[in-house]
């Protein structure tokens, strides 16, 4: 999966990929103060593609809000909501709007789920539908936080650690391997990293093609940019 | 003129157009009413596409005639005049379409002076019409004021419209317009009273542009050929051709220098242009600063949905970073090449890249020569590159050469409130290709000294013009052939050209100007040689320059290679005046100086950001 961190104060964005074996569960958000946790499990291609590159994507998210006593399990096939001590299942094939005391949900048929958790976070999960008979690829999900400012300064996770910004500087722009993607040196969190200017896609407006977002790409699973390394974010279960 | 001490006795603009070739004579007679000698100024404006061919002053029975000389020689010969700065200012840029010619001379008390300026140009057909633009600013009331235009078009006049920016309801009926099948006469001749701004006051209403627009009838598939006095001209713009679908990549500058109004205007224009795409066209949008940001990785069919999404992409994003023209254009070219290779584009369609930039390359490859080489090598003759240079910070000649090297053209976009319209206007001119790889063939043994006869495209509303010399002066007719690639099928047309007998279309008409076809041929040849002198290989450049100079001297045209030396009565003391033809670069430089514009410099990545942040994770 590719991660994008938009940084409005710098009018810039950072990006990195996290790759591990399919089935790994990562913590994306963990805010112990508000009790919000978002974990995601990856999936691989149906078989190894001819280029030998193993691609992984998120296919299942587990979302918990301890204080609000809410849980969601969102996968490429269905959406399960735990609220008021009971589970309810919804399907991507219907457009649904639910307004609750602590949580609002809105499903746009076969496309997206918008979740607003009271006084904490708002996010969108996109469903990428792939042709069922595709020899390699299968359905996967995207996770976009659109409002996270109410989360505590202690929020962490692969995405969460960036919700309150990150200090960095980029200099020494130089030609990269590909002419249209120059390299540069980034000073961040006490590290000096070789980064590459490129872009990643935001699929919210155009689910099929996406929209390119220019960003500084941090190589090797975001090493140096994320706190610790990717394995520090691996957990054993969605909840 | 010096207030009431000078009386302008007459101002006459006499324009004759024969088969699009316009010959204009501006005559002004002034009287120094004072009891002492004084300086009288003659200042007129002419289209920048025109070449001055003659200038004379008549003072006390003595005629002083301007002489066209080789520019460098003229400068050496009159070094004294050059060093005292007297060459400056005889011809100056004036707005987008015009340049001004001005001269002053000392006139004895109670004496007359007559100024006569002649210039010629080949009218270009744009968006289905020719335009004759005359700028008139007599500054004071004129005893005898006259604008007269006679148009002779053997193909027949399809429509004609005449208007002026200064025409009030009272002056409107004074525009006399007579159009018959092959001839039009337009005149405007207000009396002194009619010129007055208000009864009894000295101010004149006459100040602005007098514009005539017209088109001719189209009939033959092979076009229309006229043979006069051993020269021929072939006009080709057949009616009823279906447009060829196009695959167009818009490469737009998103760097800092575009911030503010320029970026907004570019966005507005591009959004409008995208709306005008035909559904069978394919398009892509690539923004560049110091990196490139493609909307999508390949071209998309111009369906309603895709166009809307393309527009959303255009509207978004704020300017950042420096200008890497090399990277932006190469990405656009690469996208078209790749889509072609993968058969994603219709076989019979035209590939084009439109580059919009406002600045010099300051990021990535900054050597403009190297960029030209890279682009030419990447394009390899497979598509056309059109460039739009926005504002005064752009190196227009760099874009001009790069476009001409790649089957395209460049256009300057002037920073003003109508910039979005200028951008759309340029696009409209090239939006509808009708034919590609057009070749006009003539019998080898019958013609020589042909102007360019192979054209990459014929666009809707434009016209292809080829002229040449007949090797046999007695030849009365010859066969022509036109070949091209059209939509669905190849285009082929043949026809026979015959000598034009002026007596048939214009009986009882005193002949207009007999050598117009030859001069049209010379004008066209010089223009094309001047182009070649900028964008050909080194040997070609030298040859083209020498030939253009030779012809400019032979036909008395003031071109960028020649100067008109005007000898004044007081030459002994002050030296002669020299009129030069401005190049587009000189015009641009003049504007830069006028606005004292400081080009923005890319120095940092930071600027104000308006969109809310998003942190997300997704697939590729």
């Amino acid at each position: 999966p590719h991660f994008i961190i938009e940084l409005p104060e710098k009018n810039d964005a950072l990006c990195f990929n996290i790759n591990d074996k399919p089935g790994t569960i990562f913590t994306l958000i963990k805010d112990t103060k508000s009790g919000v946790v978002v974990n995601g499990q990856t999936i691989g291609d149906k078989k190894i593609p001819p280029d030998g590159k193993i691609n992984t994507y998120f296919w299942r998210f587990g979302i918990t809000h301890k204080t609000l006593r809410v849980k969601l399990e969102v996968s490429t096939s269905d959406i399960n909501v735990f609220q008021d001590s009971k589970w309810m299942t919804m399907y991507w094939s219907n457009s649904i709007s639910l307004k609750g005391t602590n949580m609002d949900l809105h499903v746009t048929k076969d496309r997206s789920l918008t979740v607003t958790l009271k006084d904490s976070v708002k996010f969108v999960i996109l469903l990428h539908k792939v042709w069922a008979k595709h020899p390699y690829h299968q359905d996967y999900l995207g996770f976009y936080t659109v409002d996270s400012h109410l989360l505590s300064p202690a929020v962490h996770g692969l995405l969460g650690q960036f919700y309150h910004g990150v200090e960095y500087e980029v200099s020494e722009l130089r030609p990269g391997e590909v002419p249209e993607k120059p390299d540069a040196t980034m000073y961040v969190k006490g590290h000096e990293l070789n980064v590459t200017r490129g872009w990643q896609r935001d699929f919210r407006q155009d689910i099929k093609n996406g929209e390119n977002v220019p960003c500084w790409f941090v190589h090797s699973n975001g090493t140096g940019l994320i706190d610790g390394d990717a394995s520090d974010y691996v957990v054993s279960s969605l909840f | 003129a010096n207030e009431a001490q000078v009386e302008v006795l007459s101002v006459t603009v006499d324009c004759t157009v024969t088969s699009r070739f316009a010959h204009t004579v501006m005559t002004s007679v002034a009287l120094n009413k004072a009891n002492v000698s004084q300086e009288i100024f003659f200042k007129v404006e002419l289209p920048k596409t025109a070449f001055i061919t003659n200038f004379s002053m008549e003072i006390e029975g003595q005629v002083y005639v301007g002489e066209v000389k080789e520019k460098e020689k003229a400068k050496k010969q009159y070094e004294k005049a050059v060093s005292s700065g007297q060459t400056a200012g005889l011809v100056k840029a004036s707005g987008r379409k015009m340049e001004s010619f001005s001269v002053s001379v000392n006139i004895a008390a109670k004496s007359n002076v007559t100024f006569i300026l002649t210039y010629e140009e080949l009218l270009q057909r744009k968006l289905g019409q020719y335009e004759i633009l005359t700028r008139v600013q007599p500054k004071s009331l004129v005893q005898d004021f006259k604008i007269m235009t006679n148009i002779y078009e053997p193909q027949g006049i399809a429509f004609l419209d005449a208007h002026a920016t200064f025409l009030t309801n009272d002056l409107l009926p004074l525009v006399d317009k007579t159009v018959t099948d092959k001839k039009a006469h337009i005149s405007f001749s207000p009396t002194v009273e009619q010129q007055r701004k208000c009864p009894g006051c000295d101010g004149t209403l006459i100040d602005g542009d007098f514009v005539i627009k017209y088109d001719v009838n189209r009939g033959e598939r092979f076009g229309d050929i006229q043979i006069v006095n051993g020269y021929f001209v072939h006009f080709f713009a057949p009616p009823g051709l279906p447009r060829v679908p196009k695959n167009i990549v818009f490469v737009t500058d998103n760097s800092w220098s575009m911030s503010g109004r320029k970026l907004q205007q570019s966005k507005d224009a591009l959004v409008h242009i995208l709306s005008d795409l035909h559904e069978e066209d394919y398009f892509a949008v690539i923004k560049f600063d110091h990196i490139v940001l493609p909307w999508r990785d390949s071209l998309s069919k111009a369906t309603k949905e895709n166009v809307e999404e393309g527009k959303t992409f255009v509207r978004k994003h704020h300017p950042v970073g420096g200008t890497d023209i090399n990277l932006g254009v190469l990405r656009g070219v690469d996208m078209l090449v790749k889509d072609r290779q993968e058969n994603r584009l219709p076989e019979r369609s035209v590939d084009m890249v439109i580059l919009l930039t406002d600045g010099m390359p300051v990021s990535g490859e900054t050597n403009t020569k190297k960029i030209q080489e890279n682009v030419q090598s990447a394009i390899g003759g497979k598509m056309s590159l059109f460039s739009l240079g926005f504002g005064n910070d752009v190196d227009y000649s760099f874009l001009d050469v790069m476009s001409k090297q790649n089957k395209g053209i460049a256009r300057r976009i002037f920073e003003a409130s109508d910039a979005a319209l200028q951008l759309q206007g340029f696009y409209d001119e090239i939006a509808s290709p009708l034919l590609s790889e057009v070749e006009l063939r003539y019998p080898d043994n019958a013609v020589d000294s042909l102007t360019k006869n192979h054209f990459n495209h014929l666009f809707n509303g434009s016209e292809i013009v080829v002229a040449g010399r007949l090797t046999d002066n007695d030849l009365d007719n010859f066969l022509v052939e036109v070949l091209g690639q059209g939509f669905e099928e190849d285009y082929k047309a043949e026809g026979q050209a015959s000598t034009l007998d002026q007596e048939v279309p214009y009986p009882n008409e005193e002949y207009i100007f007999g050598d117009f076809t030859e001069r049209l041929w010379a004008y066209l040849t010089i223009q094309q040689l001047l182009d070649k002198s900028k964008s050909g290989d080194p040997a070609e450049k030298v040859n083209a320059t020498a030939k253009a100079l030779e012809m400019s001297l032979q036909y008395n045209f003031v071109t960028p290679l020649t100067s008109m030396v005007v000898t004044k009565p007081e030459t002994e003391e002050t030296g002669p005046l020299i009129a030069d033809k401005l190049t587009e670069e000189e015009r641009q430089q003049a504007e830069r100086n006028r606005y004292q514009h400081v080009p923005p410099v890319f120095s940092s990545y930071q600027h104000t950001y308006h969109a809310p942040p998003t942190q997300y994770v997704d697939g590729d």
Side-chain angles (χ1 to χ4, degrees):
Chain A
H2 72 241
F3 289 73
I4 301 268
I5 312 301
E6 285 191 349
L7 297 151
E9 72 281 2
K10 284 188 182 287
N11 182 30
D12 208 348
L14 307 180
C15 47
F16 56 94
N17 289 346
I18 297 284
N19 285 309
D20 204 324
K21 58 183 187 297
T24 308
I25 300 172
F26 291 104
T27 298
L28 302 181
I29 307 171
K30 188 175 183 182
D31 184 7
T32 43
K33 201 167 177 191
S34 63
V36 175
V37 179
V38 177
N39 294 328
Q41 186 171 22
T42 60
I43 192 174
D45 287 322
K46 290 174 187 165
K47 55 183 177 180
I48 298 173
D51 62 6
K53 196 179 159 201
I54 299 168
N55 297 302
T56 54
Y57 311 92
F58 281 113
W59 76 284
R60 210 155 69 105
F61 291 111
I63 297 136
T64 313
H65 196 309
K66 268 192 183 166
T67 323
L68 299 179
R69 299 161 67 95
V70 169
K71 279 184 184 176
L72 275 107
E73 186 190 326
V74 184
S75 73
T76 49
S77 54
D78 51 30
I79 300 156
N80 292 287
V81 185
F82 181 82
Q83 201 172 202
D84 303 327
S85 307
K86 57 185 178 190
W87 282 96
M88 182 179 73
T89 301
M90 298 184 293
Y91 294 96
W92 286 104
S93 50
N94 300 311
S95 282
I96 302 162
S97 267
L98 284 179
K99 274 196 173 291
T101 355
N102 295 323
M103 179 172 66
D104 294 342
L105 289 178
H106 180 78
V107 181
T108 304
K109 186 180 172 332
D110 287 331
R111 192 183 169 101
S112 67
L113 162 70
T114 306
V115 180
T116 310
L117 293 171
K118 193 185 172 193
D119 297 332
S120 48
V121 64
K122 181 180 179 180
F123 54 85
V124 175
I125 293 175
L126 294 188
L127 172 65
H128 294 270
K129 295 277 282 181
V130 176
W131 178 43
K133 290 179 181 170
H134 194 287
Y136 304 108
H137 305 316
Q138 45 192 332
D139 294 353
Y140 66 95
L141 301 172
F143 183 93
Y144 296 73
T145 35
V146 286
D147 189 356
S148 57
H149 78 280
L150 289 172
L151 293 175
S152 80
V155 64
H156 208 260
L158 284 170
L159 287 176
Q161 63 187 290
F162 301 108
Y163 286 164
H164 299 293
V166 58
E167 288 299 319
Y168 71 94
E169 269 183 33
V170 175
S171 63
E172 298 162 46
L173 198 68
R174 53 190 177 271
E177 265 180 48
V178 183
E180 58 192 54
K181 294 180 177 174
D183 282 354
T185 302
M186 178 182 285
Y187 301 90
V188 61
K189 294 183 178 175
H191 305 288
E192 186 181 322
L193 309 176
N194 179 51
V195 292
T196 303
R197 191 66 171 167
W199 60 87
Q200 291 286 22
R201 283 184 245 193
D202 177 340
F203 292 94
R204 280 176 295 171
Q205 300 299 321
D206 180 351
I207 190 85
K208 197 175 159 199
N209 299 293
E211 185 180 285
N212 289 328
V213 177
C215 58
W216 287 111
F217 182 79
V218 179
H219 300 267
S220 313
N221 280 359
T223 304
L225 172 65
I226 60 170
D227 295 333
D229 65 44
S231 62
D232 297 337
Y233 299 85
V234 175
V235 290
S236 56
S237 71
L238 275 187
F239 296 104
Chain B
N2 187 6
E3 305 286 319
Q5 295 299 309
V6 173
E7 187 176 350
V8 184
L9 299 177
S10 81
V11 170
T12 310
V13 181
D14 185 354
C15 175
T16 307
V17 182
T18 310
S19 298
R20 293 64 147 173
F21 196 64
H23 173 92
T24 305
V25 183
M26 288 184 158
T27 309
S28 187
V29 183
L31 167 68
N32 175 12
K33 295 199 291 187
N35 290 324
V36 289
S37 68
Q38 64 172 330
E39 198 167 22
I40 291 183
F41 291 84
F42 173 70
K43 182 180 172 187
V44 295
E45 301 207 6
L46 59 147
K48 68 177 183 182
T49 45
F51 291 152
I52 290 172
T53 62
N54 264 310
F55 174 70
S56 69
M57 294 182 288
E58 186 179 343
I59 302 160
E60 294 171 14
Q62 175 88 32
V63 181
Y64 302 86
V65 183
E67 194 184 343
V68 177
K69 296 194 173 190
E70 183 182 345
K71 195 177 200 169
E72 293 311 311
K73 279 189 184 164
K75 278 194 175 158
K76 272 184 198 155
Q77 195 175 345
Y78 298 102
E79 240 163 31
K80 189 179 153 195
V82 176
S83 61
S84 61
Q86 288 179 39
T87 58
L90 220 56
V91 176
K92 281 182 180 161
S94 173
R96 300 169 192 176
K97 293 181 173 179
M98 310 296 277
E99 56 197 27
S100 77
F101 172 91
S102 60
V103 69
S104 69
V105 66
N106 257 314
I107 301 300
K110 310 287 181 195
S111 287
N112 277 357
V113 57
T114 303
F115 300 100
I116 305 174
L117 177 77
T118 307
Y119 59 86
E120 290 176 348
E121 66 171 328
L122 178 63
L123 303 177
Q124 279 178 24
R125 187 167 184 251
K126 281 184 187 165
L127 303 173
Q129 59 192 20
Y130 307 99
E131 183 182 277
I132 305 164
L133 176 60
T134 309
R135 187 161 292 169
V136 279
Q137 297 168 306
K139 302 284 182 198
S140 61
L141 300 170
V142 180
Q143 290 296 328
D144 180 15
F145 181 89
K146 201 184 292 171
I147 300 175
M148 227 172 18
T149 304
N150 286 295
I151 300 171
Y152 302 88
E153 289 290 355
Q155 280 170 264
I157 293 166
F159 79 88
L160 188 140
D161 178 46
H163 73 275
T165 52
F166 50 80
L167 280 186
T168 59
N169 283 343
D170 293 338
L171 292 177
L172 199 58
L174 301 179
V175 178
D176 181 29
K177 197 172 82 176
T178 314
V179 184
T180 55
D181 180 23
K182 296 174 193 303
K183 192 182 148 188
H185 173 82
I186 306 99
S187 67
F188 175 63
S189 181
T191 63
V192 169
E193 286 313 309
Q194 286 165 332
Q195 292 169 41
R196 277 189 210 283
K197 260 188 182 164
C198 52
C201 59
D202 289 335
T204 177
L205 286 167
I206 313 297
D207 183 357
D209 292 342
F210 192 83
V211 185
I212 297 168
K213 292 178 178 175
Y214 76 96
D215 196 15
V216 302
N217 295 325
R218 314 273 159 189
E220 300 290 349
R221 268 172 61 83
F222 69 91
D224 184 79
I225 299 187
Q226 291 157 31
I227 305 175
V228 181
N229 294 345
Y231 286 82
F232 79 91
V233 57
H234 183 180
F235 300 103
F236 179 70
L241 287 175
R243 57 182 296 283
V244 180
K246 60 183 179 294
N247 312 309
I248 186 164
V249 179
F250 298 96
V251 179
T252 66
D253 191 337
N254 200 45
S255 64
W256 262 7
S257 55
M258 288 286 286
S259 300
R261 190 164 75 151
K262 275 197 281 190
L263 190 69
Q264 192 52 49
Q265 287 172 327
S266 308
K267 283 182 183 175
D268 291 347
L270 197 48
V271 164
H272 191 276
I273 286 168
L274 292 182
S275 305
D276 284 349
L277 287 170
H278 293 255
E279 193 141 338
E280 66 270 27
D281 293 340
Y282 280 71
F283 75 106
V285 185
I286 295 173
K287 294 180 179 183
F288 71 94
D289 41 82
H290 56 286
I291 67 152
V292 288
L293 180 62
W295 166 50
R296 290 178 181 171
D297 293 335
S298 57
L299 282 90
S300 303
K301 199 165 195 288
T303 59
K304 272 186 188 155
E305 194 188 21
N306 282 335
V307 166
E308 282 313 308
E309 287 172 17
K311 285 196 226 172
T312 308
F313 174 77
V314 167
R315 288 192 190 104
K316 277 190 175 177
H317 295 294
H318 307 285
V320 285
T323 309
D324 192 340
I325 292 175
N326 186 58
L327 205 57
V329 176
L330 291 184
R331 184 72 172 90
V333 173
D334 183 53
M335 199 183 269
L336 267 167
V337 169
K338 207 167 151 198
D339 279 10
R340 269 276 171 223
Q341 280 168 352
E342 291 172 3
N343 296 321
R344 291 170 45 84
L345 304 172
E347 196 184 333
R348 279 191 176 268
S349 55
V350 171
D351 295 343
M352 49 176 82
V353 174
I354 296 187
L355 163 69
L356 168 69
T357 183
D358 76 327
M360 288 293 289
V362 293
S363 186
E365 180 59 69
T366 54
N367 179 338
T368 52
K369 282 241 170 342
K370 186 76 188 150
I371 296 173
Q372 285 167 346
E373 280 169 26
N374 291 346
V375 170
Q376 194 173 14
S377 148
I379 285 182
K382 293 191 285 280
M383 63 192 76
S384 300
L385 171 69
F386 298 93
S387 303
L388 292 156
F390 202 154
N392 290 323
D393 300 327
V394 70
D395 181 348
Y396 179 77
S397 62
F398 154 59
L399 296 180
D400 188 37
V401 169
M402 188 162 71
S403 295
K404 281 175 180 153
Q405 285 171 337
N406 296 290
K407 300 183 179 184
I409 47 173
R411 180 73 55 85
R412 277 189 68 195
I413 301 297
F414 297 84
E415 279 186 66
S417 56
D418 70 340
L421 285 175
Q422 295 176 55
L423 291 165
Q424 285 164 36
F426 176 78
Y427 172 76
D428 288 342
E429 283 178 38
I430 59 164
S432 298
L434 303 177
L435 294 175
S436 53
E437 305 306 328
V438 186
E439 184 149 341
L440 298 94
R441 290 184 185 165
Y442 310 92
D444 287 342
N445 57 354
V447 301
D448 72 0
S449 305
L450 262 188
T451 58
K452 184 176 153 186
N453 67 329
H454 180 273
F455 296 82
N456 303 308
H457 308 291
L458 170 70
F459 295 109
N460 192 26
S462 71
E463 182 177 60
I464 284 174
V465 184
V466 180
R469 191 165 55 186
L470 300 179
T471 45
D472 179 356
N473 273 345
D474 295 329
L475 195 75
D476 280 340
N477 58 62
F478 63 87
L479 277 172
V480 295
E481 196 181 12
V482 183
L483 303 170
Q485 292 169 12
F487 181 53
E488 290 184 339
E489 59 183 16
D490 287 343
Y491 186 90
K492 190 173 179 185
E494 282 180 348
Q496 182 145 325
S498 306
T499 306
L500 181 70
D501 185 352
Q502 297 292 338
E503 276 303 309
V504 179
Y506 309 115
N508 309 318
E509 197 73 58
E510 264 186 47
Y511 189 46
I512 318 146
F513 55 110
D515 59 351
F516 84 91
T517 314
E518 182 178 350
R519 294 192 67 79
L520 185 159
W521 164 81
Y523 174 98
L524 202 54
T525 306
I526 292 169
Q527 290 280 27
Q528 291 174 0
L529 287 169
L530 290 171
D531 281 346
K532 213 181 264 182
S533 70
K534 283 190 272 181
S535 58
D537 64 46
E540 261 185 346
K541 282 182 186 176
V542 172
N543 288 340
T545 308
K547 184 74 187 154
L549 171 63
E550 184 195 322
M551 288 185 68
S552 303
L553 293 170
Q554 186 185 344
Y555 288 91
N556 226 45
F557 285 131
V558 178
T559 68
L561 303 172
T562 52
S563 297
M564 179 167 280
V565 179
V566 184
T567 309
K568 298 205 295 182
E570 61 268 41
T571 293
E572 287 303 311
E573 288 167 22
T574 58
L577 293 168
I578 300 174
D580 288 338
K581 177 78 185 167
L582 299 180
T583 61
E584 197 57 46
E585 294 74 57
E586 287 166 335
R587 298 171 68 86
Q588 195 181 13
Q589 187 56 50
E591 278 159 45
R592 278 193 200 119
N593 296 343
R594 183 148 41 112
Y595 294 113
Q596 303 240 315
H597 197 85
V598 180
V601 178
F602 167 55
S603 59
S604 159
Y605 293 114
Q606 295 189 2
H607 89 295
T608 320
Y609 187 92
H610 306 289
T614 307
Q615 275 79 32
Y616 64 90
V617 56
D618 211 328
D620 285 315

